[in-house]
Amino acid sequence: MEIEPVMNIAKRRGFVFPSSEIYGGLSGFFDLGPVGLLLRRKIENSWREFFIKSQDNIFEIETSIIMHEKVWKASGHLDGFTDPLTQCRKCHSFYRADNIIEEKTGKFVESLNTEELTELIKKNKLKCPKCKGDLGEAKIFNLMLSSNIGPVTGNVAYLRPETAQGIFTNFKNILVSTRAALPFGVAQIGYSYRNEISPRQWIIRLRELRQMEIEYFFNPDKISVPDREVLKTKIPIVTREVQKKENFEAVKKEAGNLVKEKIIPNELIAYFIAKEFLWYQQLGIPSSALRFRHMQPEETPHYSKGNFDMEINFDFGWKEATGNAYRTDHDLSTHMKHSGTDFSVVEDGKKIVPHVVEPSFGIDRAIYATLLFCYRDGKERGWEWFEFPSKIAPYVAGVYPLMNKDKLPEKAREVYEMLKKCWDVFYDGSGSIGKRYARADEIGTPYCITIDHDTLKDNSVTIRDRNTTKQIRVKIKDLTNIIWKLLNEEIKFEKAGS
Amino acid sequence: MEIEPVMNIAKRRGFVFPSSEIYGGLSGFFDLGPVGLLLRRKIENSWREFFIKSQDNIFEIETSIIMHEKVWKASGHLDGFTDPLTQCRKCHSFYRADNIIEEKTGKFVESLNTEELTELIKKNKLKCPKCKGDLGEAKIFNLMLSSNIGPVTGNVAYLRPETAQGIFTNFKNILVSTRAALPFGVAQIGYSYRNEISPRQWIIRLRELRQMEIEYFFNPDKISVPDREVLKTKIPIVTREVQKKENFEAVKKEAGNLVKEKIIPNELIAYFIAKEFLWYQQLGIPSSALRFRHMQPEETPHYSKGNFDMEINFDFGWKEATGNAYRTDHDLSTHMKHSGTDFSVVEDGKKIVPHVVEPSFGIDRAIYATLLFCYRDGKERGWEWFEFPSKIAPYVAGVYPLMNKDKLPEKAREVYEMLKKCWDVFYDGSGSIGKRYARADEIGTPYCITIDHDTLKDNSVTIRDRNTTKQIRVKIKDLTNIIWKLLNEEIKFEKAGS
């Protein structure tokens, strides 16, 4: 499993382009081409359906990307959203001190301060990976991007490093406008910015990234989950104990039982974790490449009652794709203190500050994983293709006239216009039909509809299945209905033909 | 027609909140609440359907918000995307020099340089609107927001002031990945940033704004429009001649004829302008509040062969909502020169650099106009409401049990779950049915579905029409189909009942 060929086809077929590429690119920034944007939109819509619309009490909002300095002072990001930095004394390259140490020593150093990191750099005689020069002291570097707002210099605001703060600061506005009662959630999809010292691994470590976050507010004395069935899902968990061993592996346990075993702090976290396990599989990622790691105490903020990272086993190893945190009332209480706004709600005649659990998804990593796991090399077919699950495929179907004559294009256009009302489909009339099938496969199109001379006689068309390359023949009048049923897995492809 | 009551209800019901409000707000930044986000999404989708999906040759992409400094050097924004600034010598407030002069003298000064503006400030003895202090010299102020990328100071990149440059710099990537041939368009929806000196008028002059742009590339020797019928649309035009008069008015002429009269430079601009005139009316804006103004030579960039602003007659007067420009080959040629990348295409055996027309829409202004023109005060009903066209209403329907007993809520939930599969709908079980109707009206919900005791007997429900408050009774099994037909205006409300 390699990412190189995936990156190549992703650029060639319009999934992902490097930003500002004609000027040498801008490290940590990427553009989505026509096919990539369709894929991302489908992944976002799938998430919205599965996590938001399946419930009645989660509201989606979209808040400004740039927010007031005081927001970040209150949230702790101004002081604490930092990475330790070290610079090569010879070639002046910058590195994350903790990464350099972890890579060379295998030690886990996330909780160490700059003095301790500097000590480890010296003790292990760590050198610059580029020029072998000496590395300097570890220093604190704030990861927020800032910008000067208005004509007066020094009027600094920050590009949000997470979408969550736009939810917390609007807590009262949302409460008043929706008349919501606990428990309820607020979701946001949008860009966040992190001034990574060394962006890398394509769209994994980005400076401009996209998140999907939910803040689910509740009364800690009255925890209820929207659907108890979900708690019966067996999820792959890596407990704090287990990960101390070498070559540890996740064990599968029922999400609800992990609460009873006091590994997961409450049923709401267990509920979201279980849903995440189900959702990522809908993106074509195998369950064996998913696990939930209970973060160690030194990786967990002091106010959190438990953090669980959903990790994916990428080509380069396990990496966080969704973070889950039980943030208690920390965020609302902090903003109450700093702003003087009252965020308390009355429950059973008692004023309380709601607690919150936060599942936080990185979309770019979901796209990376989808591309990686759905990629099929060209060994068998002679061309590469993507086995995207039908519901997230950029296009549902391509429509083709077998030849560009005998009124076949006109008939194909009719079919195309009909299908376009329901789905994203494309029309392709150029090159041999084999080449057109290959191009459709390359962008993971589940179905190819071909209009031939028989179509003119009996109004039937062929549907070619991407996964099997098998074909069936159906009537045009049944086409929409059959594709609908195929997408919803109500019928099997082989049995859909007439 | 006033915006004050609209702003109030927009905040109270979750359309628009000021950003960072609990910390005093951040001028020029706003958040969308749950209802506002639904409204914006519907406006964007309506635009996508009408301008993008109606054609087969327009591709939508999404490029990074932050782009390389060299992009903005090449595009001219680093040198030319500026406003003239003047500062009060007494209270140090900043103003746009041109605005201050235009407001006080009524003169049009967009083409003047800073020396000439300074001269006019002195000559007219213009004072600070706040403290009546003297105003200083006019100075150039760049409107782009910048940020330092990476740990090295001085490594500056810019937040895009328009989405268009992400399209131009990717021209070759798009051409290769889509195999498109001229003419074809590339569209983008997304955030842009302008460091306005004095943001004002709610969501009109913003620092964080959202655009919908199309760059339509073509061979200037082979102009063809996708649909010639559109050219027959009569549009309200303000020619350069007409606007020299006082109290000028637009005249209605066929878009195609304006090309023949050489007022509009080519049929593609005429085509997009005509479509804009039709689309804005779909947002509930009356045709009398729309006009196209041919920009004067001093308002038009040197490379443009014609700029036309679509203006809306807002509560405060006429203001641009969409700009149309025939930018020739300026953008592609400039980036070719600066980057060394070849953007030429071969047409009839000849290498050419494509020309481009650019319709550029401001979404925030479309939202402002929609809210303004669809707002109905409370005089008649006792509560305010929005008469949104059904297709862009945030929610299509509310679903209500008449009372919270006798299994009515269970039945209402069933109906709600059924409708939720097709549309954005909400469930509301609290308060009197009259209050619930009022709340639905306040966010412009076209239909209210009520489940009562008769429902339990004969599986029928009432539908209440927002515009007339009339009710009809229909069978639950026909409900989806009837709402579908109502939304598509295939049936009249009064005749939809059984």
Side-chain angles (χ1 to χ4, degrees), chain A residues 4 20 45 55 91 96 118 175 184 190 247 322 381 440 458 462 468 488:
Chain A
E4 284 294 322
S20 312
N45 279 340
Q55 292 181 226
C91 75
R96 265 182 64 173
T118 303
L175 206 60
F184 71 92
N247 301 320
T322 292
R381 297 193 180 181
D458 65 1
T462 62
T468 60
N488 287 290

Side-chain angles (χ1 to χ4, degrees), chain B residues 135 184 195 241 252 296 300 350 477:
Chain B
L135 292 173
F184 71 93
N195 198 5
E241 269 315 301
K252 276 209 167 186
Q296 297 291 354
T300 309
K350 217 172 74 183
K477 68 172 171 50

Side-chain angles (χ1 to χ4, degrees), chain A residues 19 21 23 31-32 40-41 53 56 60 62 64 146-147 150 170 173 191 195 335 413 416 420, chain B residues 19 21 23 31-32 40-41 53 56 60 62 64 146-147 150 170 173 191 195 335 413 416 420:
Chain A
S19 169
E21 190 186 16
Y23 295 107
D31 298 337
L32 291 180
R40 194 194 73 192
R41 195 176 292 149
K53 293 204 173 170
D56 300 332
E60 189 183 344
E62 191 166 313
S64 69
S146 67
S147 194
N170 273 304
N173 280 331
Y191 287 104
N195 199 5
H335 282 300
R413 285 268 168 207
Y416 165 72
K420 208 167 84 165
Chain B
S19 169
E21 190 186 16
Y23 294 108
D31 299 336
L32 291 180
R40 195 194 72 193
R41 194 176 291 151
K53 292 204 172 171
D56 300 332
E60 188 182 344
E62 192 167 312
S64 69
S146 67
S147 194
N170 273 306
N173 281 331
Y191 287 105
N195 198 5
H335 282 301
R413 285 267 167 204
Y416 165 71
K420 207 168 87 165

Side-chain angles (χ1 to χ4, degrees), chain A residues 360-416:
Chain A
S360 173
F361 297 67
I363 301 181
D364 309 283
R365 291 181 184 185
I367 294 173
Y368 185 112
T370 299
L371 291 172
L372 179 71
F373 287 100
C374 296
Y375 174 78
R376 305 291 172 257
D377 67 30
K379 276 180 200 140
E380 209 175 301
R381 297 193 180 181
W383 59 85
E384 303 157 283
W385 59 292
F386 285 101
E387 197 171 349
F388 297 129
S390 302
K391 282 202 173 171
I392 61 157
Y395 293 97
V396 161
V399 181
Y400 315 91
L402 185 63
M403 287 181 277
N404 279 310
K405 57 179 187 182
D406 304 335
K407 303 237 169 185
L408 293 180
E410 287 79 354
K411 195 74 189 169
R413 285 268 168 207
E414 269 176 42
V415 173
Y416 165 72

Side-chain angles (χ1 to χ4, degrees), chain A residues 438-490:
Chain A
R439 285 202 296 264
D441 281 359
E442 281 186 334
I443 55 172
T445 314
Y447 304 109
C448 293
I449 319 289
T450 303
I451 282 74
D452 54 26
H453 287 93
D454 284 345
T455 310
L456 303 178
K457 286 179 218 155
D458 65 1
N459 271 308
S460 71
V461 296
T462 62
I463 312 180
R464 169 187 176 273
D465 178 51
R466 176 199 63 195
N467 294 358
T468 60
T469 75
K470 282 184 186 159
Q471 300 194 16
I472 52 171
R473 195 148 194 115
V474 307
K475 296 283 182 194
I476 290 174
K477 68 173 172 48
D478 302 327
L479 188 57
T480 305
N481 193 28
I482 286 170
I483 293 178
W484 186 268
K485 284 183 178 167
L486 286 171
L487 291 176
N488 287 290
E489 295 174 14
E490 287 176 19

